[in-house]
Amino acid sequence: MPALDIRDLKVSFGKTDVLRGVSLAVEPRETLGIVGESGCGKSMTGLAAMRLLPPGGKITAGRILLGETDLRSLSESKMRHARGSEIAMIFQDPFTSLNPMMRVGAQIAEAIVLHQNVGKATAQTRAIEMLKAVGVPSPDSAARKFPHQLSGGQRQRVMIGIAFSCHPKVLIADEPTTALDVTLQAQILALLKELQEREGTAVLLISHDIGVIGSVSDRICVFYAGRVIEEGPRDRLLKNPRHPYTRGLLGSLPGEAERLVSIPGQPPDFSTLGRDCSFSTRCAYRFDKCVTEPTLLPLGGDHRASCWLDTFPQDAPVAKTEAAE
Amino acid sequence: MSVVLDIVGASIVYQVPGGAIRAVDGVSLELKASKTLAVVGESGCGKTTLAKGILGLEQLARGEIRVRGEAVTANLKGLAKRVGIVWQDPYASLDPRWRVGRSIAEPLVVNRENGVSIESRVDEVMRQVGLEPSMKHRFPHQLSGGQRQRVAIARALALNPPLVLCDEPTAALDLSIRAQILNLLKDLQLDLACAYLYISHDLTTVRFIADDVAVMYLGRVVEVGPTERIFSNPRHPYTRALLASAPTLEKLGRLPEVLPGEIPDPREIFLGCRFKTRCPNRQQRCDTEDPGVSIEDSREYYCHFPVD
């Protein structure tokens, strides 16, 4: 059974739907990579699952199943208890998510006291053990430091320590290495993997960096305009992408070619989306079926894409241009 | 081919409580017309400080930086005609209360050139970067991220400088937009024969755009040479570690290699090699003796025990 199972989730701000029916599931010990460009809804999905949407945002439909519990049905106080102990989240910038006025040891201990029914002294000892587990050098003295006294990499280690301190079943990691240099990124990805394997955590890894997604994910979801437009096992999806948007994204990565393939145009404005496929205005393969938006259609082997091309290849025209600007 | 940028033994030192930081420490580089030299390295390696030195925004403690043969400090006022700059975040580098046409025109107005119509030059340079001249009446917030970066590039090119500094010009952009900007930079170089000093931490982008690459660590260049040679066969252990820690699609399902440790406190006085605290090849000699340059098929590196 999946550790987290999101079904047909819709989120809106006022009249604008920013998540338009997102379904995804992640098993214990599995890493599900979520990739897409700014504004596609990948972070919003994480925040909705934590029930931490920014002001004005509302979940209007769908289910967020954590095991057998629908998080939407929990009272705020029950949800507060689930946050941290059952489902935890880490963010891109540890400097803004840590409390600048509180020593880092106390910040880890705070979570432990809240969720684990132990005294302050025990919590402090466990906090130091946690700092050691996440690889912060000299954990005893580090526990007494404030966030600004640590380097960026060490701050992210502290965040990860807080997230894992209460042994959550699901961890949502939203761009956890984006603010870090590449050698520190490699250290943090290795640390996340190590803790995940030890704890059996299900990880939802949100990133715009396809390289990061490709190196740590087991399965991948590609987001576009508030929906999952392609999902599948890592190698299958990245080696044989089927949705024109996924192909465009992979084509825009610098490789051997002299010129990069870029996707023409801009992502759509959510308030103007109609019934037609949300990618159709930028799609080189558009044909008459694209006036309705397809659901995720099976392609075999757990690979699915929200595109008519593969289901009706005989109707599809030959691509007009690949490298349009 | 003419040398556009010539950096000889440049050092930039910041005085801070507890010592001095040699942010750039004896860097020598050369860049020719129509070529792109990438400067790569992690936060704190000195790559942006070096750019500030080229722009005359930081005083050199030692050495010299010449653009087209003239020291930058000798003629700061005329420097804008010789060096253009594109920063990382166009939203921060463009005045939000100015229509973008005014931002593009500003260097033309300040460096008034006789006989040139500012209006027609703005239109021309906007077309060159793929913007409709009618967009000049818009404000930065009315443009997309990619369009804003095109405005920033137009502004950098307005005076047709022989050298353009690009400081992480695509780091704030989404993947598909990044591809458009990288293609544009390549096309512009073919048309205008300008040289780019391309500062970035993104190695895949660098491999695409740069002819040569200089790898910096703690204020020093540790390896410099033709891009393909360095990427396919790095000699300095730091270059190798940098390349191995970048996740790419060739390494699906494999965690990138880990280089342990972090960049040390730059206030320390360094004896021997600067990379020794993190180096897998460290031996006794590295603790005491600063490695000199080794030259090998048009590539230079600074290491006692290089990677094979």
Side-chain angles (χ1 to χ4, degrees):
Chain A
M1 193 174 83
L4 177 70
D5 189 357
I6 294 177
R7 293 189 195 162
D8 209 26
L9 183 68
K10 290 183 179 158
V11 167
S12 59
F13 283 77
K15 283 184 178 150
T16 311
D17 296 329
V18 296
L19 290 187
R20 304 181 302 130
V22 167
S23 298
L24 53 86
V26 53
E27 302 281 335
R29 299 180 184 279
E30 184 187 45
T31 301
L32 176 67
I34 295 187
V35 67
E37 297 181 281
S38 313
C40 67
K42 53 191 195 303
S43 291
M44 210 54 82
T45 302
L47 291 170
M50 294 292 288
R51 281 185 42 195
L52 287 173
L53 286 172
K58 242 183 102 182
I59 299 174
T60 53
R63 305 219 278 166
I64 306 163
L65 295 170
L66 190 79
E68 281 170 357
T69 322
D70 188 347
L71 294 182
R72 280 191 74 195
S73 69
L74 295 185
S75 66
E76 188 47 49
S77 74
K78 284 232 172 76
M79 185 64 214
R80 205 177 304 139
H81 187 77
R83 251 181 240 130
S85 64
E86 303 281 322
I87 180 168
M89 186 161 182
I90 55 176
F91 298 91
Q92 172 173 339
D93 183 359
F95 203 51
T96 53
S97 31
L98 290 171
N99 183 342
M101 308 286 280
M102 203 171 163
R103 296 178 199 276
V104 297
Q107 295 193 52
I108 302 177
E110 183 187 35
I112 298 172
V113 168
L114 253 171
H115 291 296
Q116 297 199 336
N117 203 16
V118 295
K120 271 196 172 171
T122 322
Q124 189 66 24
T125 319
R126 286 199 197 163
I128 292 168
E129 281 164 15
M130 198 69 223
L131 282 172
K132 196 171 167 209
V134 295
V136 173
S138 36
D140 282 309
S141 65
R144 290 193 298 274
K145 288 186 175 167
F146 290 99
H148 75 271
Q149 294 171 306
L150 300 175
S151 70
Q154 287 176 18
R155 283 197 287 265
Q156 196 58 291
R157 288 177 190 272
V158 171
M159 275 307 296
I160 291 169
I162 294 175
F164 276 99
S165 63
C166 299
H167 315 288
K169 296 188 179 75
V170 178
L171 176 73
I172 301 171
D174 188 358
E175 305 270 9
T177 59
T178 304
L180 301 176
D181 276 314
V182 57
T183 61
L184 296 180
Q185 167 168 282
Q187 293 177 8
I188 294 296
L189 291 176
L191 173 66
L192 275 174
K193 204 81 195 169
E194 180 197 324
L195 291 171
Q196 174 186 22
E197 273 165 18
R198 202 170 72 198
E199 301 264 327
T201 321
V203 173
L204 213 64
L205 179 76
I206 301 171
S207 179
H208 70 283
D209 186 332
I210 296 185
V212 169
I213 292 282
S215 72
V216 297
S217 307
D218 302 303
R219 285 189 305 120
I220 295 172
C221 282
V222 183
F223 269 60
Y224 186 77
R227 293 177 69 232
V228 177
I229 53 102
E230 183 160 4
E231 66 168 7
R234 176 194 65 227
D235 289 11
R236 245 188 110 100
L237 188 142
L238 291 178
K239 287 181 180 157
N240 186 17
R242 304 292 277 276
H243 196 287
Y245 176 69
T246 316
R247 290 187 212 171
L249 263 192
L250 291 167
S252 56
L253 287 173
E256 302 297 308
E258 266 299 294
R259 283 187 71 78
L260 303 176
V261 182
S262 64
I263 306 169
Q266 298 284 331
D269 180 348
F270 280 90
S271 57
T272 61
L273 285 176
R275 285 188 59 236
D276 50 347
C277 166
S278 52
F279 187 63
S280 61
T281 51
R282 304 173 76 188
C283 187
Y285 303 89
R286 177 184 183 152
F287 65 118
D288 52 6
K289 276 208 74 87
C290 303
V291 293
T292 54
E293 186 150 46
T295 53
L296 282 169
L297 305 170
L299 299 161
D302 256 359
H303 188 181
R304 300 190 291 164
S306 163
C307 181
W308 296 115
L309 269 183
D310 277 300
T311 16
F312 294 91
Q314 66 274 28
D315 299 345
V318 180
K320 276 166 260 166
T321 69
E322 268 277 271
E325 283 258 323
Chain B
M1 217 180 320
S2 69
V3 173
V4 173
L5 173 68
D6 192 12
I7 303 175
V8 188
S11 295
I12 297 173
V13 179
Y14 294 111
Q15 296 299 331
V16 292
I21 294 178
R22 286 178 287 172
V24 174
D25 191 11
V27 167
S28 297
L29 292 168
E30 189 184 89
L31 172 59
K32 291 181 170 146
S34 300
K35 292 286 181 193
T36 299
L37 169 65
V39 179
V40 302
E42 299 179 281
S43 312
C45 74
K47 54 194 195 300
T48 296
T49 307
L50 182 65
K52 287 183 178 167
I54 298 167
L55 290 167
L57 297 173
E58 294 291 353
Q59 293 281 326
L60 297 187
R62 266 186 298 121
E64 194 165 38
I65 299 178
R66 289 188 290 263
V67 179
R68 277 266 173 92
E70 192 181 2
V72 291
T73 43
N75 180 7
L76 277 179
K77 195 148 182 276
L79 193 62
K81 290 182 191 172
R82 291 181 288 148
V83 187
I85 169 93
V86 181
W87 299 106
Q88 173 173 341
D89 181 2
Y91 207 59
S93 61
L94 296 170
D95 191 320
R97 292 170 302 174
W98 281 18
R99 294 180 199 276
V100 298
R102 186 175 169 198
S103 285
I104 298 172
E106 191 186 22
L108 296 162
V109 175
V110 172
N111 297 272
R112 193 182 310 270
E113 286 192 74
N114 289 332
V116 180
S117 156
I118 288 175
E119 191 85 353
S120 66
R121 176 65 188 149
V122 169
D123 290 2
E124 182 188 23
V125 77
M126 285 184 81
R127 278 193 206 96
Q128 280 175 339
V129 299
L131 290 173
E132 278 298 315
S134 62
M135 281 187 169
K136 66 186 166 194
H137 303 298
R138 302 219 189 143
F139 289 99
H141 74 265
Q142 295 171 309
L143 301 176
S144 69
Q147 287 169 335
R148 276 199 290 270
Q149 197 56 297
R150 284 173 196 265
V151 169
I153 294 169
R155 180 181 153 99
L157 295 174
L159 289 165
N160 213 353
L163 173 65
V164 179
L165 306 187
C166 304
D167 191 356
E168 306 266 12
T170 62
L173 302 175
D174 271 320
L175 210 48
S176 64
I177 310 298
R178 185 176 85 178
Q180 293 175 12
I181 297 294
L182 289 172
N183 283 337
L184 174 69
L185 287 172
K186 262 199 168 175
D187 293 345
L188 287 169
Q189 188 170 55
L190 286 177
D191 290 346
L192 306 172
C194 50
Y196 293 138
L197 187 83
Y198 194 94
I199 295 168
S200 182
H201 68 274
D202 179 0
L203 296 165
T204 50
T205 305
V206 164
R207 191 170 198 172
F208 173 75
I209 202 152
D211 302 292
D212 293 288
V213 54
V215 182
M216 285 185 74
Y217 188 78
L218 268 181
R220 293 263 177 98
V221 170
V222 297
E223 184 161 9
V224 56
T227 306
E228 267 323 300
R229 202 159 293 157
I230 288 195
F231 272 74
S232 57
N233 179 24
R235 295 288 275 152
H236 197 285
Y238 179 64
T239 312
R240 207 203 78 84
L242 208 56
L243 292 169
S245 56
T248 67
L249 290 184
E250 283 94 62
K251 299 183 260 189
L252 280 188
R254 273 185 290 150
L255 280 172
E257 273 182 46
V258 171
L259 172 70
E262 296 189 19
I263 209 161
D265 186 335
R267 280 171 303 192
E268 282 170 36
I269 311 294
F270 298 97
L271 241 181
C273 175
R274 298 197 157 196
F275 187 57
K276 65 185 178 193
T277 54
R278 301 172 78 186
C279 185
N281 295 4
R282 177 180 185 173
Q283 296 189 29
Q284 215 167 22
R285 192 175 163 198
C286 310
D287 294 345
T288 51
E289 199 182 321
D290 201 356
V293 65
S294 307
I295 302 174
E296 182 182 289
D297 12 287
S298 68
R299 165 230 310 257
E300 298 173 7
Y301 61 86
Y302 297 77
C303 180
H304 295 305
F305 304 102
V307 183
D308 287 327

